[in-house]
Amino acid sequence: MEDQNPPNSTSKLLLWFFSISACVKLLLIPSYHSTDFEVHRHWLALTRSLPLSNWYSDETSPWTLDYPPFFAYFERSLSLLAHLVDPRIVDVYNGLEYKANSVIYFQRISVILSDLCLVYGVYRLTKNLKVKRRDLMWILVVWSPGLMIVDHIHFQYNGFLLGLLLLSISCLQEGKDLMGGFLFAVLLCFKHLFAVAAPVYFVYLLRHYCWQGFVRGFGRLLLMGAVVVAVFAAAYGPFIYHGQIQQVIRRMFPFGRGLCHAYWAPNFWVFYIILDKVLSFILRRLGFDIQIPAASFTGGLVGDSSPFAVLPRVTPATTFIVVLLALSPCLIKAWRNPRPGLIARWIAYAYMCGFLFGWHVHEKAALHFVIPLAIVAVQSLEDAKHYFMLSIVSCYSLFPLLYEAQEYPIKVMLLILHTILMWLGFYALFNEKSVTEAANKKKGTQLEVKGSCERGRFVMGWVGKSYLFGLLIVEIWGQFLHPYFLGDKLPFVPLMSISIYCALGIMYSWIWQLSQIVQST
């Protein structure tokens, strides 16, 4: 059997996990960072230098503030410390494109420290788990290579936001629905892209928390509504007072950016784009006058004009409807049987629907479902095998974010180490179960082990092995063979190959998750 949690050492051991990851992140401070680094530096400056009424209307830099108000307040609090480190960091005019060591170290370390919220979220989720499950979940979340690539090299603040999400999930799993709803409302006021899971929260909380008879249920509905309204009032109230709420909304929802990001996220719309290109090629060969749109996906351009030559233009409303349709089986299950033990799976599935069918999806949004699925991955063998594949695919899909040569060994080593640690962890967890099950059967006792198919052994099937081997082929072609044989010709092909191939894996994962939800009782 798995060992019991040592009650007094769990938090200390988790801090050791965090400390090890922090040491690696400190070593990565001098590495490449994207334009998001200057984005967040400018947000520090404008929240420090300008009055609140000008935060969402400032155009000093092209990197305008487009996150909800709580994140602006977060940047404002960081700017107080940044001013002590180097006043030029928070100078809205003289600090543009400032690249001194002071700003690099300050912002990098601020991301590392903000990950303590993620650590606390993981602690809440794992404090009652057995040791092997607990340690494995720590590895999957705290040592996530995707978070390392996106937050600590490319540069963003996803760690603490996902920590808020995990805290909310932990509260829901413990039956603390009011606190879970409160934390999710807070999260939405930090980053509105997490709103994809709002329908799941709404249906689950309405059914599980508020559906308690007319009087009691109505009282709970009013209480939950008051909590959510209070959170949003705290976030948006000052901007309503200053008459800036319309400007805030415009900045947060820039639908004119187009269906796809410059680098195609590996989602459903990749196949739609490819179909349009194939059809336009065939029709031109047949003599039809098909105009090539100026906003070409392969050129990475986005805008208001339709980038499709043959197929109908996809609008934000279309993607919204498709996401809701994809979510509907999950919402029906949440209404019929609102089980706290399934909430993590439902929320992860919601974010996967948003990733696959949403508008202008960034490849970094894969973290929104990969991290919550780590909760599910340690529950059964089938979930573990599915997560093993999905985690590798999602991490590999982030490789194009780090396109400079000096970061290539880093991203490859992060993925290899993560794969090895996952394999060893899952194999140890489920192989021990099979041994225990066999021993109990010999003694004439029955031990129920969820997901103990294939006698509990963590073994990938030939389909999964073949698909993962294909990732290696795609990488060898894009990184080595394409430059050797084609040089500068067709430069979009390596990126397109990664998007298409990873989209196949994530689409399969979505179908698998949907089947698990439909079959759940």
Side-chain angles (χ1 to χ4, degrees):
M1 295 291 290
E2 296 177 56
D3 296 329
Q4 296 291 332
N5 275 333
N8 297 324
S9 63
T10 299
S11 57
K12 292 182 180 179
L13 186 58
L14 179 55
L15 287 176
W16 272 108
F17 270 68
F18 170 74
S19 299
I20 293 170
S21 69
C23 289
V24 175
K25 294 166 186 174
L26 288 171
L27 293 174
L28 295 174
I29 284 179
S31 62
Y32 157 84
H33 55 77
S34 71
T35 54
D36 281 342
F37 190 88
E38 170 61 16
V39 169
H40 288 279
R41 189 219 56 81
H42 181 65
W43 292 359
L44 289 175
L46 72 88
T47 54
R48 169 73 181 182
S49 303
L50 302 177
L52 181 143
S53 58
N54 292 347
W55 287 0
Y56 286 90
S57 58
D58 172 68
E59 295 184 353
T60 307
S61 164
W63 314 120
T64 53
L65 182 61
D66 57 7
Y67 274 28
F70 275 178
F71 201 93
Y73 303 154
F74 171 71
E75 295 278 9
R76 165 67 179 175
S77 63
L78 288 180
S79 72
L80 301 178
L81 298 174
H83 182 264
L84 299 177
V85 173
D86 183 348
R88 188 174 172 184
I89 296 175
V90 293
D91 191 316
V92 74
Y93 301 109
N94 298 321
L96 292 174
E97 301 297 335
Y98 189 43
K99 297 179 180 179
N101 286 334
S102 57
V103 65
I104 292 174
Y105 277 87
F106 176 81
Q107 293 202 174
R108 292 289 198 193
I109 293 173
S110 70
V111 178
I112 295 172
L113 293 179
S114 69
D115 278 351
L116 285 170
C117 182
L118 179 69
V119 172
Y120 182 62
V122 173
Y123 169 76
R124 282 290 306 269
L125 281 166
T126 59
K127 61 183 179 180
N128 295 321
L129 291 182
K130 300 295 181 66
V131 170
K132 284 194 174 181
R133 289 176 183 269
R134 178 201 70 187
D135 291 354
L136 182 54
M137 195 184 296
W138 291 354
I139 290 171
L140 298 178
V141 176
V142 179
W143 291 354
S144 166
L147 271 176
M148 195 82 72
I149 289 172
V150 174
D151 278 16
H152 302 281
I153 303 179
H154 185 269
F155 195 84
Q156 275 195 346
Y157 287 90
N158 292 286
F160 93 88
L161 297 173
L162 288 166
L164 288 174
L165 178 65
L166 296 186
L167 284 171
S168 175
I169 293 173
S170 71
C171 290
L172 297 181
Q173 289 184 343
E174 295 171 5
K176 300 176 181 178
D177 291 346
L178 188 63
M179 179 58 69
F182 166 76
L183 288 170
F184 184 67
V186 170
L187 176 61
L188 294 186
C189 292
F190 270 102
K191 191 171 184 179
H192 53 302
L193 298 182
F194 282 94
V196 178
V200 174
Y201 271 86
F202 177 80
V203 171
Y204 176 81
L205 291 173
L206 180 64
R207 189 73 169 87
H208 189 263
Y209 179 72
C210 301
W211 211 259
Q212 304 289 333
F214 180 78
V215 176
R216 186 182 182 191
F218 186 69
R220 287 190 167 193
L221 180 63
L222 289 179
L223 180 59
M224 181 66 74
V227 167
V228 173
V229 169
V231 171
F232 277 81
Y236 293 92
F239 299 93
I240 295 174
Y241 175 79
H242 288 288
Q244 290 290 306
I245 190 62
Q246 291 185 349
Q247 180 65 23
V248 173
I249 299 300
R250 278 196 295 269
R251 286 282 178 86
M252 287 172 52
F253 299 98
F255 290 120
R257 288 183 179 178
L259 175 63
C260 291
H261 194 232
Y263 161 55
W264 308 350
N267 62 13
F268 172 79
W269 302 117
V270 168
F271 304 115
Y272 193 83
I273 296 166
I274 295 301
L275 178 60
D276 180 76
K277 291 190 174 297
V278 171
L279 290 176
S280 64
F281 174 80
I282 294 173
L283 291 175
R284 286 200 307 273
R285 284 300 182 96
L286 293 175
F288 290 91
D289 184 19
I290 303 297
Q291 299 296 320
I292 302 299
S296 171
F297 282 110
T298 56
L301 301 176
V302 293
D304 291 327
S305 59
S306 174
F308 299 107
V310 178
L311 296 178
R313 178 183 180 183
V314 178
T315 65
T318 303
T319 61
F320 178 76
I321 292 170
V322 174
V323 170
L324 281 182
L325 289 174
L327 266 176
S328 57
C330 177
L331 300 179
I332 293 171
K333 281 288 181 178
W335 178 262
R336 289 180 176 176
N337 188 12
R339 289 171 51 192
L342 294 176
I343 190 65
R345 185 188 297 276
W346 294 336
I347 290 171
Y349 174 78
Y351 287 125
M352 188 173 287
C353 290
F355 182 85
L356 283 173
F357 306 110
W359 177 266
H360 197 75
V361 174
H362 288 235
E363 60 283 348
K364 295 163 282 191
L367 294 172
H368 293 181
F369 57 83
V370 172
I371 297 299
L373 275 178
I375 305 168
V376 182
V378 300
Q379 295 177 3
S380 75
L381 176 61
E382 287 304 311
D383 283 307
K385 292 194 291 186
H386 169 259
Y387 185 86
F388 181 80
M389 185 200 75
L390 177 63
S391 183
I392 293 173
V393 173
S394 65
C395 180
Y396 178 68
S397 72
L398 298 172
F399 271 27
L401 290 176
L402 309 181
Y403 55 85
E404 294 187 353
Q406 60 267 30
E407 274 73 43
Y408 186 75
I410 296 174
K411 62 186 181 184
V412 171
M413 287 302 300
L414 286 174
L415 180 54
I416 291 174
L417 289 173
H418 178 64
T419 302
I420 293 172
L421 288 172
M422 276 200 302
W423 180 270
L424 293 176
F426 285 133
Y427 186 85
L429 178 62
F430 293 103
N431 190 52
E432 178 179 318
K433 282 188 173 186
S434 67
V435 172
T436 307
E437 184 181 37
N440 279 273
K441 284 183 178 179
K442 287 182 180 179
K443 295 177 182 179
T445 60
Q446 183 66 34
L447 178 66
E448 181 181 355
V449 180
K450 182 182 179 183
S452 59
C453 55
E454 294 185 22
R455 299 190 180 275
R457 292 188 177 275
F458 183 76
V459 179
M460 296 294 294
W462 69 269
V463 175
K465 290 178 181 178
S466 300
Y467 178 80
L468 292 177
F469 181 74
L471 290 177
L472 181 61
I473 302 300
V474 171
E475 179 63 12
I476 292 174
W477 166 259
Q479 190 68 28
F480 303 105
L481 298 182
H482 184 277
Y484 180 78
F485 288 108
L486 297 178
D488 295 332
K489 297 179 180 178
L490 304 176
F492 61 87
V493 169
L495 280 176
M496 184 176 69
S497 301
I498 293 174
S499 292
I500 294 172
Y501 197 77
C502 291
L504 288 171
I506 295 178
M507 281 295 296
Y508 165 79
S509 173
W510 174 75
I511 294 170
W512 191 88
Q513 286 291 340
L514 177 59
S515 68
Q516 294 298 110
I517 289 171
V518 171
Q519 295 169 17
S520 63
T521 57

